[in-house]
Amino acid sequence: MSMTPQTPPAPVSGTDAAAVPAARAATQDVVGTDSPAASGKFIARATLITASLSVAGALLGLVRDQTLAQLFGAGIETDAFLVAWTVPEFAATLLIEDGLAIAMIPAFSLALTRRAQGVSGDPVRSLVTGTLPRLALGFVAVSALIIVGARYLVEALAPGLPDPGLAADCTRLTATCVLSFGLAGYCSAALRAHRRFLAPATIYVAYNIGIITAMFLLGERWGVRSAAAGVAMGGCLMVLVQLPSLLRLFRTRGPAASGSRVEVRPMNLALISSVLIFAMCRQSQVLIERLLASTLPAGAISHLNYAQKVAQIPMTLSLMLCTVTFPVIAQALADGDTERARARVERDLALACRLVLFGAATVVACAPQIIEILFQRGAFTAQDTVATAEALRVYALGLLGQTLVGVLIRTYFSAGRPTWYPIGAMTAGVIATTWIGVATVGSGGVLGIAGANAAGITVTAVLLLVGLAQKRDGHTRPESTQRAGSATGPISFAFSTWTAARRRRPAQHGGPRGVRLRTRHVLSDLGGPLRAAAAATAAGGYASGMPGSPVLGLAVGCVTVTAVFLLLDLAMDTQGRTSALHSVGAVTRRLRHGRSS
């Protein structure tokens, strides 16, 4: 991507500040939510729609994985497909969930504001004509490159794979998703900036339906290649479900003024580069896992994949609130109200961490029952269930770190400015994952790889939290004096060159690059939920193993975990619980001050 639109400017002051409320009001008029009450109701309704369809997409993702397990089990074929699955995993993160959204949603919002202010021409259409053709060419080029070099890519990702030819065939089919995901992400950004949430929320529903349908229709003839063909089909459906809404949206706008053209300024490449590099570093943990697992017996990659998909459910649910409140934090920083942004982030952390700890306790306590109910059928055997459940329990140890990273990374980029500290923190986590994985894969196998993942993401979470810490007097740490923490060994080496170079370079923008947190307050708030989760896990694990039926065991285990966690959390903590409950009640009220993405 060589050209992208400019991000919204930094907080304004003086006479320019007077234009901000007027511009915001004009934009609200454009989208039809001009009153605070209407805005609050609209955002609440949009949030409900988005959350409901996101859950539906996640459930269909489970059905997709169940279908894959039932039809092809956990062996050479599924290992080959899951290596090819690396392409859509990376494409979804870079083009739909993180990079492109962070770049394009603010750009479309700025164009809408300029349109509402009466700028000659149509800034929105100029933005589309100035960026979409270039981006589409880039997507086509990357897809073609992956198709041509599929065999080499497979050898690099999984050199010990028993059937690299099958994996290369699957990779060529999944490579088409770079184009389809890129277009889907662009459409989603445009629609959400216009406050059209229904169509973007359906994309993962359509995607998973495409994969499931292809496996049932083509599985007998094509084998696991049918799942790869489903990825290509699902990617096209992601674009098609949004296209009518997008075309309808642009048909309702008048054409640009004759002879006029709004200049599309180049995007802040440092911002988009920092976002994309961070996302790629985070996804590289998956590459490390599959590289190490490719040296193990057939089925290891599949066991890790199924365990990771189940483990991600509590994390995804815990981050929904933070996804909704991200515009609130960004708007608070744009207004210069860092105290409101800090309070918002700390409340989000309190609630998200409680939710994910409760989910992790449930997953660890009931792992065998969950895996047996979800996957043990067809070619997926009882032995596969045992191996996957063990990996799931180890993966769950990193869920708190995953959630902290998900919350804190939004905080770093909420000001719309480039920052390289998260990349250093993620690099340290990747190094930790690699070193621990290499050291333990021989003796621990799949469990060693899962443990390395949990340890690496926890290192990243700690470093991100340290990077947002306030001084003891409550003031923000100067940008030039930030440290990566007290890490030693390879982590310290990873940060040394980067930190020295950053000290020599002056800040490009004034003001803080994110929200500074009271880290001692945040960490002390985690004490009660952590102890409650540990006790609930032990009690739930004992209770879930008593009934003979997996369904009954899961039900008993969930009830036990819920009761113990809630009772102990109520008994051991008051301040954090109050903050978390206040976080829920304040979401809709706060959202009227910013746009939802």
Side-chain angles (χ1 to χ4, degrees):
M1 292 184 287
S2 59
M3 182 71 71
T4 41
Q6 187 172 352
T7 54
V12 292
S13 59
T15 56
D16 292 337
V20 175
R24 193 178 303 149
T27 305
Q28 287 175 341
D29 289 339
V30 170
V31 296
T33 55
D34 50 343
S35 70
S39 179
K41 293 178 181 178
F42 177 82
I43 293 297
R45 186 167 60 251
T47 303
L48 178 62
I49 291 172
T50 301
S52 300
L53 288 172
S54 296
V55 170
L59 291 175
L60 281 171
L62 278 177
V63 174
R64 175 200 68 209
D65 293 337
Q66 288 175 327
T67 305
L68 184 69
Q70 179 180 354
L71 295 178
F72 309 111
I76 294 176
E77 276 195 306
T78 50
D79 284 356
F81 168 72
L82 291 173
V83 170
W85 182 258
T86 304
V87 177
E89 279 182 322
F90 265 79
T93 299
L94 297 178
L95 302 177
I96 298 176
E97 297 165 9
D98 288 332
L100 197 62
I102 290 177
M104 296 308 303
I105 289 176
F108 274 109
S109 299
L110 180 60
L112 283 169
T113 299
R114 296 178 67 197
R115 173 198 274 172
Q117 291 173 333
V119 175
S120 61
D122 188 339
V124 176
R125 293 194 180 190
S126 295
L127 174 62
V128 173
T129 57
T131 57
L132 183 56
R134 293 180 176 87
L135 289 171
L137 285 175
F139 299 148
V140 170
V142 174
S143 293
L145 183 63
I146 295 174
I147 291 172
V148 171
R151 187 62 180 251
Y152 302 104
L153 180 62
V154 167
E155 291 177 356
L157 293 176
L161 202 65
D163 192 351
L166 176 60
D169 290 343
C170 293
T171 300
R172 293 185 184 97
L173 289 167
T174 59
T176 59
C177 74
V178 175
L179 174 60
S180 59
F181 281 21
L183 295 177
Y186 194 95
C187 293
S188 295
L191 288 170
R192 285 172 177 161
H194 285 81
R195 298 201 179 184
R196 303 293 192 272
F197 294 93
L198 179 60
T202 62
I203 59 176
Y204 284 111
V205 174
Y207 175 60
N208 286 317
I209 288 175
I211 299 176
I212 294 167
T213 303
M215 283 194 286
F216 277 118
L217 292 180
L218 304 174
E220 187 174 350
R221 184 185 310 172
W222 287 13
V224 81
R225 291 179 180 85
S226 62
V231 171
M233 182 190 305
C236 295
L237 291 176
M238 293 170 94
V239 179
L240 292 176
V241 295
Q242 297 181 95
L243 202 55
S245 297
L246 195 66
L247 294 176
R248 190 162 54 247
L249 182 67
F250 281 100
R251 277 201 300 266
T252 61
R253 302 294 176 187
S258 176
S260 64
R261 178 177 175 82
V262 180
E263 179 185 359
V264 180
R265 293 175 288 178
M267 182 189 231
N268 188 334
L269 292 180
L271 171 63
I272 188 60
S273 298
S274 60
V275 173
L276 291 178
I277 293 172
F278 175 85
M280 291 180 69
C281 287
R282 188 172 183 181
Q283 281 296 109
S284 67
Q285 284 194 309
V286 178
L287 300 182
I288 295 168
E289 289 180 14
R290 289 177 183 166
L291 181 66
L292 295 174
S294 67
T295 64
L296 298 176
I301 295 177
S302 301
H303 296 147
L304 285 170
N305 173 75
Y306 295 132
Q308 191 177 62
K309 293 297 172 57
V310 175
Q312 286 176 346
I313 295 175
M315 180 196 69
T316 302
L317 294 176
S318 67
L319 288 176
M320 278 189 179
L321 171 68
C322 306
T323 301
V324 171
T325 57
F326 174 63
V328 178
I329 300 168
Q331 188 62 59
L333 289 176
D335 293 339
D337 191 350
T338 56
E339 179 61 24
R340 179 159 65 94
R342 180 197 59 75
R344 175 76 264 164
V345 173
E346 290 183 357
R347 286 196 295 271
D348 288 351
L349 279 170
L351 180 58
C353 290
R354 274 170 171 75
L355 289 175
V356 80
L357 285 172
F358 168 72
T362 305
V363 164
V364 173
C366 306
Q369 292 80 13
I370 292 173
I371 298 300
E372 182 175 352
I373 292 171
L374 290 178
F375 300 116
Q376 189 174 316
R377 57 182 61 85
F380 197 93
T381 66
Q383 185 178 357
D384 294 324
T385 295
V386 172
T388 304
E390 290 176 349
L392 173 58
R393 281 175 162 160
V394 179
Y395 263 131
L397 300 178
L399 285 179
L400 179 60
Q402 294 278 7
T403 298
L404 285 171
V405 170
V407 177
L408 295 176
I409 195 58
R410 290 173 171 86
T411 304
Y412 274 95
F413 291 111
S414 57
R417 298 171 182 170
T419 174
W420 302 101
Y421 182 86
I423 298 173
M426 194 66 243
T427 301
V430 170
I431 291 174
T433 299
T434 305
W435 279 48
I436 297 172
V438 170
T440 59
V441 66
S443 57
V446 168
L447 300 186
I449 297 173
N453 178 287
I457 199 65
T458 301
V459 167
T460 298
V462 170
L463 293 177
L464 289 178
L465 193 58
V466 168
L468 292 174
Q470 289 181 336
K471 285 185 175 181
R472 291 189 180 183
D473 59 4
H475 294 294
T476 299
R477 288 186 182 181
E479 183 74 12
S480 61
T481 63
Q482 283 184 342
R483 292 289 188 272
S486 57
T488 58
I491 298 174
S492 177
F493 175 76
F495 272 92
S496 59
T497 305
W498 160 72
T499 305
R502 202 167 61 127
R503 275 194 215 148
R504 293 193 297 268
R505 186 179 66 251
Q508 296 176 352
H509 303 279
R513 299 193 178 204
V515 182
R516 302 301 174 180
L517 305 178
R518 299 171 297 171
T519 52
R520 290 190 175 185
H521 171 80
V522 171
L523 292 174
S524 64
D525 182 37
L526 285 175
L530 277 169
R531 293 190 294 271
T537 300
Y542 175 77
S544 64
M546 294 179 65
S549 166
V551 176
L552 185 58
L554 178 60
V556 172
C558 288
V559 171
T560 304
V561 169
T562 303
V564 173
F565 184 86
L566 291 179
L567 288 175
L568 290 180
D569 191 35
L570 287 169
M572 289 188 291
D573 186 73
T574 301
Q575 183 178 2
R577 185 181 65 256
T578 302
S579 177
L581 292 175
H582 180 63
S583 181
V584 177
V587 171
T588 303
R589 182 171 65 255
R590 293 287 191 182
L591 274 170
R592 68 185 59 174
H593 298 293
R595 297 186 186 94
S596 173
S597 58

